[in-house]
Each structure stands twice: as C-alpha cells, then as structure tokens.
Amino acid sequence: MRNFARKRPIWTVIIGFAALIFIWLIFALWPPFLVDAIGKKKVFLSALLNGITLGGLYFLVASGFTLIFGLMRNVNLAHGSLYLFGGYVGYFAAEWSGYWLMAFPVAFVVVGCLGILMQLYVFRKLEGQDLRQTLVTIGISIVLADLMLWGFGGDFYNIAAPSWLSGPVETFIATGVKRSTGELIFLKYPLVRIVIFFAAVVLGVSMWLVLNRTRIGMLVRAGVDDREMLSATGARIQYVFLGVFAFGAGLAGVAGVVGGTFQSVAPGEDIRFLLASLVVVIVGGMGSIPGAALGALIIGVAEQFGSVYFPTYSVVLTFLIMVVVLAFRPQGLMGER
C-alpha cells in the first residue's frame, strides 16, 4: 500500500475520496435529493449486503477452482457439476438426518471422493495436456448434468436452515427515521447469510495460512514450480496433488450446500457457477487465494447492483469488469507476473 501511494499519489487520493463517499452512503441518513436520484437507502444496502454474501458463496466455489486450475494447472471444467452434485447430496443428507450441519461434511466427503476418482483416472493420465483436459472435463460435465437431471429431476431443492439461524437480525445501519416518534429505523438482514459469509472468511484465511505458512503448502507450491526436482527429494508429490484436488472438489460440494441454503439447487446452476468461478479467478489472479476473495467480492457486488440498478445490462457488467482487468492487468488484480 505504501509503495502504491508513493508511485501513484493521484490515484491514492481518488481511491481514498471514493472510499469516504461510500462509507458516508452506508452510515449517513440520505437527504431527499439523493433518494430521488438513487432510490431508497434500504434497497441500496440490501443490494450491497446481498452482493457481499453472494461474493462469499462465489469465493467458496472459486477457492476450490483456484486450487485446481490456478495452482495445480488442471483445467477442470466439470467444477460446476461438482458444485451442483454437492448441493443435491447436502439436501438429501440434511433431509435424512434432520440436521442442517450434517449436510456439510457429507457433501465434502462424497464430492471429495469424486474428485479423487477424477484426479486418478482423468488428470493423472492427461497431465500437461490442457486441451485434452478441457475437452474431457466438458464431456464429464455434460454426462454428470444429464445423470443428475435423470436422478433428481428438474425440481428446485432448497436446503432449510435450522431455526436458530432463521429470520432476520437487526443491524447497526440506519435506513431512515420514523415520522411519528423520530426513532431511527435499522436495517434487518438474514442471519444465515451473515454467518455463512463469516465462515467463508475464516475458511479463506485458513487456506492462505496453510498454503503460505505450512510444510504442505510449501510442497504444493514447490510441486507446481518444479515437480521433477521435488520428486527427486523423495516427496510423494502425487499424494499431495491428490489431496489438494480432493480438497478443492470437496469445497465445491460445500459451496453447493451453501448455495442451496442461500437460493436453491436446480439444473443449470452448474454452468452459472462454473462461469462465475472462471471470472473470479481471472479477475483475482491465477492461484491466489486473496485474489479469489477480492474477485468474488467485486463480482458479487457488481452482479447485485447490476440487477437492481441496471437489470438489462447486469450480465454485461460482470464481463465488462473482466475485460477491463485483462486490458490493464492481464495476470489479475493480485496475480503474479
């Protein structure tokens, strides 16, 4: 940050001024002219919080994708199918057990095992062949989509959150004043979305610490850079990569449970979240966990604000961000050159 401020003082001032305006929009009571120009503050804040929590969901999907695609250089275009399959598995696990939390470990283990099979019988045999990996995983994605449509039908499945997470919670952000009493009106927001977002933050910090501060993370990064040299030291790099792939696939399954709780699980969600993961990884930077978090936040907020204020062009807005990033910083916002 200090280097950026020294090299680009004008941009630093502009960014700081924009941040102050944004903070004022969140915490201040809006004057009538601003309400007439933008709309109600409650709508603005709901779009902002929905975008942040959606960014948390996108990060859960993209974090597994950035481990597999960005870090291990395995082109897995069936990642969206893993997300959707995890959502279905989590739904039935929660229904049969009666516990919402049970859906997470079951989806992680089942989808992680599917990831192990893909690593053993697809990616290990097609190592370094990006085009073949792309074509094969597209085929796997189509087959899995048809199998899930055949097995689960075309219905929408919603994973019900437990009672202790149901209902809204009152925040400390004021949206207006009651005319009769003059009391402040505070925004209410679903508790389950807040809890899952903070869980995504904890998971992201933990993943970064593991990759950058532990021996396992050192082995993974060294294996990506020079696999032959690491193997010569006696490290079981194949087992390390197998574990990373299984973990990334398991994260996609967990994200499916979160998505089923946020919204619903239905055919077509696999393509949507695959595209979202690709955009997030491109915007944030290949193989960067902080980059995936930043990219997911930007894309989630842009998607929600676009759907509220620019509904006709909301899809274009997401890809416009990706084009701008590629034009000025091809390696991503936090990617290495």
Side-chain angles (χ1 to χ4, degrees):
M1 290 296 291
R2 292 179 180 177
N3 292 333
F4 181 85
R6 290 196 200 99
K7 294 179 180 178
R8 300 175 178 86
I10 297 177
W11 276 109
T12 303
V13 172
I14 293 174
I15 293 172
F17 185 67
L20 290 175
I21 293 176
F22 193 71
I23 293 172
W24 181 85
L25 287 173
I26 294 174
F27 294 103
L29 293 176
W30 287 11
F33 75 88
L34 190 59
V35 175
D36 294 336
I38 301 179
K40 294 183 178 180
K41 182 182 178 181
K42 183 178 180 180
V43 176
F44 173 85
L45 290 176
S46 296
L48 176 63
L49 292 177
N50 285 341
I52 292 173
T53 52
L54 180 62
L57 173 58
Y58 282 165
F59 172 72
L60 287 176
V61 186
S63 58
F65 190 72
T66 198
L67 285 175
I68 295 171
F69 177 48
L71 196 61
M72 295 174 58
R73 304 297 188 264
N74 286 336
V75 185
N76 181 22
L77 295 188
H79 195 75
S81 298
L82 299 179
Y83 165 88
L84 185 59
F85 183 59
Y88 284 127
V89 170
Y91 172 81
F92 288 106
E95 287 292 311
W96 290 335
S97 66
Y99 294 99
W100 175 69
L101 291 175
M102 184 61 68
F104 291 93
V106 172
F108 182 85
V109 171
V110 172
V111 181
C113 290
L114 180 58
I116 289 175
L117 294 177
M118 291 178 64
Q119 168 67 11
L120 288 175
Y121 296 105
V122 177
F123 291 100
R124 188 170 292 185
K125 297 180 182 298
L126 301 176
E127 193 172 310
Q129 304 178 47
D130 295 346
L131 180 58
R132 290 190 177 184
Q133 289 179 4
T134 301
L135 295 175
V136 170
T137 53
I138 288 175
I140 292 174
S141 177
I142 294 171
V143 171
L144 287 177
D146 287 342
L147 287 174
M148 286 186 283
L149 182 61
W150 171 69
F152 304 113
D155 297 330
F156 288 78
Y157 293 89
N158 183 261
I159 303 174
S163 57
W164 53 276
L165 281 179
S166 61
V169 61
E170 188 173 83
T171 65
F172 55 87
I173 304 175
T175 59
V177 180
K178 293 182 180 179
R179 294 182 179 179
S180 57
T181 61
E183 296 179 356
L184 292 175
I185 302 173
F186 293 96
L187 179 72
K188 293 183 178 180
Y189 197 73
L191 178 61
V192 63
R193 281 179 170 258
I194 297 174
V195 170
I196 291 177
F197 171 75
F198 281 107
V201 172
V202 172
L203 177 64
V205 173
S206 302
M207 287 175 59
W208 184 87
L209 290 174
V210 169
L211 283 174
N212 293 276
R213 296 291 186 269
T214 65
R215 177 177 172 81
I216 295 176
M218 179 190 68
L219 290 174
V220 172
R221 289 181 284 112
V224 171
D225 293 335
D226 195 334
R227 180 175 301 189
E228 290 75 16
M229 183 62 70
L230 184 64
S231 298
T233 65
R236 301 288 184 90
I237 188 62
Q238 293 292 352
Y239 292 112
V240 174
F241 275 18
L242 187 66
V244 172
F245 198 101
F247 183 76
L251 280 182
V254 169
V257 178
V258 175
T261 306
F262 267 26
Q263 301 162 347
S264 60
V265 180
E269 292 293 291
D270 51 345
I271 302 299
R272 175 194 167 191
F273 280 91
L274 173 63
L275 290 175
S277 299
L278 283 169
V279 173
V280 166
V281 170
I282 291 170
V283 171
M286 296 277 287
S288 172
I289 299 299
L294 180 61
L297 186 62
I298 292 172
I299 297 304
V301 171
E303 186 176 310
Q304 289 300 308
F305 274 119
S307 63
V308 172
Y309 294 106
F310 314 101
T312 307
Y313 306 102
S314 59
V315 177
V316 178
L317 183 63
T318 300
F319 289 97
L320 180 62
I321 293 172
M322 183 180 69
V323 170
V324 171
V325 171
L326 287 175
F328 293 97
R329 193 172 172 82
Q331 73 272 26
L333 294 176
M334 303 191 72
E336 297 180 357
R337 290 184 180 273

